[in-house]
Amino acid sequence: MRVGVPKEIKVHEYRVGLTPASVREVVAGGHRVTVEHDAGAGIGASDDDYRRAGAQIADTAEQVFASAELIVKVKEPQPQERAWLRPDHVLFTYLHLAPDPDQARDLIASGVTAIAYETVTDPGGGLPLLAPMSEVAGRMSVQAGAHCLEKAAGGRGVLLGGVPGVEPARVVILGGGVVGANAALVALGMGAEVRVIDRSVPALRRLDERFGPRLATLHASAEAIENAVVDADLVIGAVLVAGTTSPKLVGRDLVRRMRPGAVIVDVAIDQGGCIETSRPTTHADPTFVVDGVVHYCVANMPGAVARTSTFALNAATLPHVLAIAGKGWRAALAQDPHLLQGLNVCAGHLTHKGVAAALGLGFRPAGEML
């Protein structure tokens, strides 16, 4: 199969779909790989590194799209990229369609077969292609929040871990999944007072077993969220419902009651955000203020640590790339029901129930498209 890797063009996105080591594996499988010039610059991989791995180098992204059957990316295709998609393309990347009707309409119109990393499952019900980036984003959320709490960044002027004789910052994490657990790990390590709120008792139990009495866990209720958020210095939104938009757990009225200079880091912004006042931002302009509360809502947080993120992501995605390239997308999906869950768009139809429900559109079951 002809595999294409374009350079990412989302603002301050430095990750790349395949590393040179991954390209070497794909080429060893008998496939042809075309990589756009400088696609790997953000992770320190040169065109010569890709050539040594067996890739051909294209001057432009348009050439990559024109030559490829399977396109491997990191972030959702931007409007100019969507214009190059064809019915014979297989697109394998993060899509996050639920809060993005324009992208959904363009993918449907293109006829492309689009497989989304974020809805591929595993036998345990997890999201193995989302998990690596959730780990990164969870850890980064505390770093970002700690910086935003500094007075020069608009925050309360609070040191996350405090110092002897001065209490540490109060951190509230909404969601105890992969993002929440990794945020808790870093926040506790920095000495903060940390609470995690989740509706899943088993999830809270796992966190309690992992972190012990250093971490306070609360079962999610409107009252618990309200009491914790009003008292918080830093609130991290870490809620995910696979495929669909995130529930709004914190309304504007509650944001208005937060302390002036408190900080919200809404990691759920890729799926619409779990804070009513959130809106997507970029690494170039990461924050805004609503009712005196600093909001950090960068939709591609792991892109800032591109090398770490790319290698972590490739470890998870490469087996699926090899399966799709080696078997063809139909056979690969037919033989792997968990990869089949990643099929979001095919032949002009939405094929993921959660995405379709979030967008208010009809869908065809993914299995029917095989």
Side-chain angles (χ1 to χ4, degrees):
M1 185 174 281
R2 300 188 304 276
V3 180
V5 182
K7 185 176 182 178
E8 298 294 327
I9 59 174
K10 191 163 186 169
V11 177
H12 286 288
E13 180 53 69
Y14 303 106
R15 289 171 289 181
V16 63
L18 293 176
T19 65
S22 293
V23 167
R24 181 176 176 180
E25 297 294 322
V26 176
V27 171
H31 311 291
R32 190 179 96 185
V33 180
T34 301
V35 177
E36 185 182 353
H37 168 62
D38 273 351
I43 67 165
S46 69
D47 289 349
D48 284 341
D49 291 330
Y50 279 103
R51 288 190 183 96
R52 283 191 289 271
Q56 300 180 19
I57 303 299
D59 292 331
T60 67
E62 188 172 8
Q63 292 173 352
V64 173
F65 279 77
S67 66
E69 299 166 280
L70 170 61
I71 298 164
V72 182
K73 282 176 44 62
V74 177
K75 290 306 293 177
E76 71 278 1
Q78 302 302 293
Q80 71 188 70
E81 296 174 308
R82 301 199 294 263
W84 297 325
L85 292 171
R86 308 185 305 263
D88 61 322
H89 274 146
V90 178
L91 175 65
F92 193 36
T93 189
Y94 288 116
L95 294 175
H96 298 291
L97 290 177
D100 193 349
D102 290 341
Q103 183 196 174
R105 282 192 292 267
D106 287 349
L107 295 185
I108 291 168
S110 74
V112 70
T113 297
I115 304 169
Y117 294 161
E118 73 272 9
T119 62
V120 174
T121 60
D122 64 22
L127 302 171
L129 307 191
L130 187 61
M133 297 304 93
S134 295
E135 292 167 347
V136 171
R139 297 180 185 212
M140 286 188 68
S141 69
V142 180
Q143 295 180 191
H147 171 70
C148 290
L149 277 171
E150 295 174 13
K151 200 67 180 176
R156 297 189 67 226
V158 173
L159 181 65
L160 203 68
V163 293
V166 181
E167 67 180 4
R170 297 174 181 179
V171 177
V172 173
I173 302 169
L174 303 175
V178 177
V179 171
N182 280 270
L185 175 69
V186 174
L188 288 169
M190 294 177 72
E193 176 187 309
V194 184
R195 298 178 180 181
V196 175
I197 302 177
D198 198 289
R199 65 182 180 179
S200 168
V201 174
L204 296 176
R205 185 172 290 116
R206 287 192 295 271
L207 290 169
D208 184 72
E209 291 170 351
R210 178 176 178 181
F211 295 109
R214 294 186 301 152
L215 177 69
T217 58
L218 297 170
H219 186 259
S221 68
E223 183 173 354
I225 292 171
E226 179 178 339
N227 291 339
V229 167
V230 166
D231 200 35
D233 297 297
L234 170 60
V235 174
I236 296 173
V239 177
L240 174 69
V241 181
T244 191
T245 50
S246 300
K248 297 293 188 285
L249 299 184
V250 176
R252 179 155 194 157
D253 287 344
L254 184 51
V255 171
R256 193 175 292 121
R257 294 170 56 197
M258 292 176 67
R259 297 171 173 180
V263 174
I264 290 171
V265 178
D266 197 344
V267 184
I269 196 65
D270 267 341
Q271 293 293 129
C274 62
I275 313 293
E276 186 180 2
T277 47
S278 293
R279 57 175 170 79
T281 61
T282 69
H283 287 293
D285 188 15
T287 64
F288 59 93
V289 178
V290 176
D291 294 326
V293 176
V294 180
H295 291 58
Y296 180 102
C297 305
V298 175
N300 61 327
M301 289 176 66
V305 288
R307 186 172 177 85
T308 297
S309 298
T310 296
F311 280 90
L313 180 60
N314 268 230
T317 58
L318 180 59
H320 296 295
V321 172
L322 293 172
I324 295 168
K327 302 174 183 177
W329 70 267
R330 283 188 176 84
L333 270 59
Q335 294 172 25
D336 186 345
H338 303 293
L339 183 58
L340 181 62
Q341 291 296 314
L343 188 64
N344 278 207
V345 180
C346 186
H349 299 279
L350 288 176
T351 54
H352 189 283
K353 188 175 183 179
V355 170
L359 294 170
L361 299 173
F363 89 108
R364 290 185 61 181
E368 292 185 6
M369 308 308 294
L370 304 183

